Structures are given as C-alpha cells and as structure tokens.
Amino acid sequence: MSTGELLGVRGLVAGYGAVPVLHTVDLSVPPRTIAAVVGANGAGKTTLLRAVSGLLPPTAGRIVLDGTDLRGTRVEQLVRRGVAHVPEGRGVVGELTVDENLRLGGLWRRDRADAARALDEVYQLFAPLARRRRHLGHQLSGGERQMLALGRALVGRPRLLLLDEPSLGLAPRVVAQIMALLRQLRDDTGLTVLLVEQNVRSALSVADQGVVMALGRIVASGPAAGLRDDDHLRHAYLGF
C-alpha cells in the first residue's frame, strides 16, 4: 500500500443555503487505496462527495488533491486533473447507446489514441457492455447501468474515483462483482477510490480504510477491518 496522501480534506464545512451539513470534516486518502465512507442516511456522505467533486462549493475549509488546493477550481478542470464522480442514481443517458455513453467520458481528452484504448479496456472489463454496445441506456438492467456509469468514468483514466452508493437497488451478486472490480482496479491501475455506501459490510470488506460519519461529522476512521470488528461502532452507527 502506498504512503502519502492523494486527497486531503481539512476543516470542511459545506451545506445547502444557510444550513450546514458538513461540520469541520477532516479526511486523508492515500494513493492506491479504497476509502469507504459509511453511516446512516443524513450523515453527510453524499454532500462530502459533492464538495470534493466541485458540485457544492464549501463555505469553509480546504480540499487538496496531490498537494494542490482545489478551492475555486471548476468542475471541468477537476475532471482534467483526474477526478471522476459517479453519483447516486448512476446518471446514464437513456437516449444514447452504451457506446455513446462511454465516449462521453473521453470527449475532453486530447490523446485520442489513448481514449480509444481506454474504451476498449472498459469493454474488456465489462463483457455485458461489449455485448450491448448498440443498445440504448434505458434498455439496460440496473447492474448494466451501474457498469456503464463506472465505465464512462474510467474512460477518462481518473486518478481519484468518487463513487456514491453503487450497490443501490442491485442484486447481491452484482454488488459483489462491482466491489471485486474496485479492488482489481486499485491493484492493476493504481486507482484511488472514495466510496460512499450504505451497504456497510460490503464496503468495509473491500476497503483499505473506513470513515464513519454521523450528523455531518467523522466519528471514527481507521483500517476498514478494525471498524468492521468494533462492536460499539457497529451497534451505535453502522446498524449491524
């Protein structure tokens, strides 16, 4: 496992209108790791991802990517810096084909040859997408749509993947496949993942580190296995 820090969050405060959701959140994610952010509904997990991805401007604090302060950075610039965000609900364009959806993920890239290679690699990772590349997004199953949303992000060759509730509405078998894929991407490509997930067992089983949130604050963090085995945390915050 790598040392150092790819993503750093310092004293982050963010919310909607005058209502803060995150309260002085501090977080450090090393490169080549999977960090799982877990907690109950309303804990602030999705708000954290939206702030990191530039969709929600913080009211205080800093977000640092590989040593660079991201304050004031536009969303499109963050994408070019290697940040990809797959939101809850997957965001597939139903009127476009699988192939067209995937190509959206690489439209900004100047290296067209490598963008084409990245597209081929996604089809190798997700065999169902390769078989259905001419199908429209709305014709896919829930699992296939999640694969498509992930694949579109990967076509941009991100360094940091922000992944919000990938297991939502999916069968356990599909969830297991997606979690195994995250581990494979970490090992094979060095991808760093900040994973928000309500399926706590699944998230902590694949993660290197865990972060437990409650009411907009981080109440515990550390190696994922340790959090998973902490009876107090499991009963107080994680619901199992």
Side-chain angles (χ1 to χ4, degrees):
M1 186 180 299
S2 299
T3 59
E5 177 183 82
L6 179 66
L7 174 68
V9 176
R10 307 283 184 266
L12 184 65
V13 179
Y16 306 93
V19 181
V21 175
L22 303 179
H23 306 276
T24 58
V25 168
D26 293 294
L27 176 68
S28 179
V29 182
R32 302 181 68 95
T33 61
I34 300 172
V37 182
V38 297
N41 279 333
K45 306 184 300 295
T46 291
T47 301
L48 173 62
L49 288 196
R50 287 175 57 83
V52 172
S53 69
L55 294 175
L56 181 66
T59 54
R62 301 170 63 221
I63 300 170
V64 179
L65 179 70
D66 203 14
T68 300
D69 192 334
L70 298 181
R71 283 179 293 186
T73 304
R74 297 192 302 272
V75 172
E76 59 269 24
Q77 293 175 320
L78 284 174
V79 172
R80 293 176 186 273
R81 288 180 179 271
V83 178
H85 184 187
V86 180
E88 181 182 347
R90 304 172 186 111
V92 168
V93 182
E95 295 76 17
L96 298 182
T97 66
V98 166
D99 200 69
E100 289 166 340
N101 267 281
L102 290 176
R103 291 178 186 277
L104 283 178
L107 282 180
W108 59 272
R109 300 192 60 199
R110 294 182 178 178
D111 187 340
R112 308 313 300 172
D114 189 61
R117 284 193 295 271
L119 182 64
D120 288 339
E121 290 167 11
V122 166
Y123 280 131
Q124 292 173 25
L125 278 173
F126 299 111
L129 297 185
R131 292 192 295 268
R132 308 198 70 184
R133 65 177 68 196
R134 302 304 176 199
H135 285 71
L136 298 177
H138 68 79
Q139 296 175 311
L140 304 181
S141 68
E144 289 167 342
R145 287 196 297 272
Q146 183 64 76
M147 293 177 191
L148 181 54
L150 269 171
R152 186 173 59 193
L154 295 175
V155 168
R157 295 211 188 278
R159 292 187 294 161
L160 174 64
L161 177 65
L162 309 174
L163 188 55
D164 196 357
E165 301 286 7
S167 74
L168 190 66
L170 299 184
R173 175 182 57 83
V174 179
V175 174
Q177 292 172 346
I178 289 172
M179 294 301 172
L181 174 66
L182 294 180
R183 186 176 285 166
Q184 178 186 341
L185 290 168
R186 177 202 61 191
D187 294 343
D188 293 350
T189 72
L191 182 66
T192 303
V193 182
L194 185 59
L195 168 67
V196 159
E197 182 56 75
Q198 285 193 59
N199 188 330
V200 177
R201 291 179 185 274
S202 181
L204 293 181
S205 71
V206 74
D208 302 293
Q209 69 179 83
V211 178
V212 183
M213 292 192 71
L215 300 176
R217 303 180 189 275
I218 292 178
V219 296
S221 63
L227 297 182
R228 188 176 65 241
D229 297 335
D230 187 314
D231 288 339
H232 170 71
L233 282 175
R234 290 194 295 108
H235 295 314
Y237 298 108
L238 302 181
F240 73 96

